Amino acid sequence: AKLIFTTSLFLGTTITISSNHWITAWAGLEINTLAILPLISKSHHPRSIEAATKYFLTQATASTLVLFASMTNAWHTGQWDITQLTHPTSCLILTSAIAMKLGLVPFHFWFPEVLQGSPLATGLLLSTIMKFPPVVLLVMTSPSLNPTLLTFMAISSAALGGWMGLNQTQTRKIMAFSSISHLGWMTIIISYDPKLTLLNFYLYTMMTAAVFLILNTNNTLSLSTLMTTWAKNPTLSAMLLLTLLSLAGLPPLTGFLPKWLIIQELTNQDMAIAATVISLLSLLGLFFYLRLAYCATITLPPHTTNHMKQWHTNKPVNTSIAILTTMSTMLLP
């Protein structure tokens, strides 16, 4: 069953990203949604069932809106081609549909809840591969979408992703809010340079995959358990520190590259104010990444509650973690 679900996942993604016709794009999105649902609700916990239900409802609504946008466009122009989306109403509906698919503000409420209800491996899939088809659709339709609306949504995403992540203690929720703010960075540039959006997405996928895999190896779900993981695998905790700082976008690391290029492009487009605002908002993100990193590398837990210290493991670390962490820190230098 797992094999079927993963194959369907990749199949749906491939169908969507390689399609020219709206119906095939929609079909791919549907296959994706249906394939990930059993992976979310795998542990039969009420919270994961709730997460699966929330995910299903939002994604079904978004898919319906995608169909609706393409149909109204075809009705007015007679074009079913994805790149020929020209009718303004259709563009508006499509923007909201894709925002709902991705979890951009104002349609972001489902994402932290769903991520919190699903296991870490599924959380990784949800924040990376499930975002890929909508991002591709956004890139393909970007010339006809409204840049002002996209900029507004992007800045509010960066703001909300930063602010709401400050107070969280669950690692999955923190990753969800970090994902929302990264999507803000991707959306602000899409009308001007779609290639940068894709670059940002690839690098974000790489760094998030590294963080999720490390958390999965350490079996860490909240900040309090993160504080005791240094005993289990000190090197991995140190690499988690660097990967998190890379996600925050600190200069010598990989995560700085997309931010640097996006700020440069925005300044070229006379949008210096937007660039300044979104850069300042990414400082909010930096705060909670630093908090995660501090909890990961601290060697004496600062509270007196008796935590189980974990045994030091000599188990070799997964090769993919090694590759991903190295790339998430060293790609820019």
Side-chain angles (χ1 to χ4, degrees):
K2 225 174 193 176
L3 178 69
I4 293 179
F5 297 143
T6 14
T7 332
S8 310
L9 209 66
F10 285 105
L11 174 75
T13 310
T14 316
I15 289 177
T16 305
I17 63 181
S18 57
S19 59
N20 291 315
H21 195 289
W22 275 112
I23 297 291
T24 42
W26 168 80
L29 291 172
E30 281 301 295
I31 294 173
N32 250 358
T33 307
L34 293 175
I36 196 112
L37 280 174
L39 296 180
I40 298 176
S41 57
K42 194 172 60 195
S43 60
H44 294 289
H45 192 272
R47 177 164 277 187
S48 60
I49 305 293
E50 181 190 348
T53 314
K54 282 177 179 168
Y55 185 77
F56 175 72
L57 290 173
T58 43
Q59 299 297 314
T61 316
S63 295
T64 318
L65 280 175
V66 167
L67 262 190
F68 184 51
S70 50
M71 273 175 59
T72 43
N73 186 61
W75 191 26
H76 283 284
T77 60
Q79 282 287 346
W80 277 103
D81 197 14
I82 294 185
T83 46
Q84 302 289 323
L85 191 79
T86 45
H87 195 252
T89 321
S90 310
C91 292
L92 212 57
I93 299 172
L94 185 85
T95 310
S96 59
I98 287 184
M100 208 180 289
K101 276 265 175 216
L102 286 172
L104 272 171
V105 173
F107 306 104
H108 63 286
F109 297 100
W110 63 273
F111 190 52
E113 303 289 327
V114 169
L115 215 58
Q116 181 58 29
S118 50
L120 280 168
T122 313
L124 165 63
L125 288 176
L126 277 171
S127 4
T128 54
I129 194 172
M130 296 304 284
K131 303 268 162 123
F132 189 42
V135 165
V136 170
L137 285 181
L138 200 58
V139 167
M140 285 165 80
T141 53
S142 57
S144 48
L145 301 178
N146 183 356
T148 322
L149 177 68
L150 287 175
T151 308
F152 175 70
M153 282 164 83
I155 288 178
S156 49
S157 290
L160 268 158
W163 268 315
M164 293 173 78
L166 292 181
N167 217 9
Q168 301 295 334
T169 54
Q170 300 290 328
T171 46
R172 284 169 295 187
K173 277 202 169 159
I174 292 182
M175 291 311 292
F177 287 118
S178 104
S179 177
I180 292 172
S181 56
H182 273 275
L183 281 167
W185 278 90
M186 289 173 221
T187 319
I188 197 163
I189 197 68
I190 195 142
S191 314
Y192 311 105
D193 198 347
K195 285 198 181 70
L196 273 185
T197 301
L198 281 177
L199 172 77
N200 194 348
F201 182 76
Y202 296 145
L203 292 180
Y204 157 77
T205 301
M206 196 173 69
M207 297 183 285
T208 310
V211 172
F212 265 112
L213 286 172
I214 294 177
L215 293 178
N216 197 21
T217 309
N218 284 338
N219 202 2
T220 314
L221 294 179
S222 66
L223 289 181
S224 52
T225 46
L226 191 59
M227 285 181 186
T228 58
T229 53
W230 61 270
K232 192 176 183 180
N233 203 330
T235 334
L236 205 55
S237 293
M239 283 315 291
L240 180 61
L241 164 84
L242 284 176
T243 315
L244 283 165
L245 293 183
S246 179
L247 256 180
L250 288 185
L253 306 165
T254 308
F256 177 59
L257 178 68
K259 286 188 167 52
W260 180 25
L261 293 173
I262 286 174
I263 290 171
Q264 192 180 351
E265 181 60 34
L266 285 174
T267 327
N268 291 346
Q269 297 285 349
D270 288 339
M271 288 177 68
I273 299 173
T276 314
V277 169
I278 202 165
S279 312
L280 287 173
L281 288 172
S282 75
L283 289 177
L284 292 167
L286 175 65
F287 177 79
F288 60 75
Y289 290 124
L290 274 175
R291 193 156 129 228
L292 267 174
Y294 176 71
C295 288
T297 48
I298 190 172
T299 49
L300 290 170
H303 43 62
T304 49
T305 52
N306 293 322
H307 265 301
M308 293 286 288
K309 291 286 184 294
Q310 296 176 345
W311 287 97
H312 187 95
T313 52
N314 286 328
K315 217 170 46 180
V317 174
N318 197 334
T319 325
S320 55
I321 297 185
I323 295 170
L324 283 168
T325 44
T326 313
M327 283 174 69
S328 341
T329 46
M330 296 299 172
L331 213 57
L332 181 59

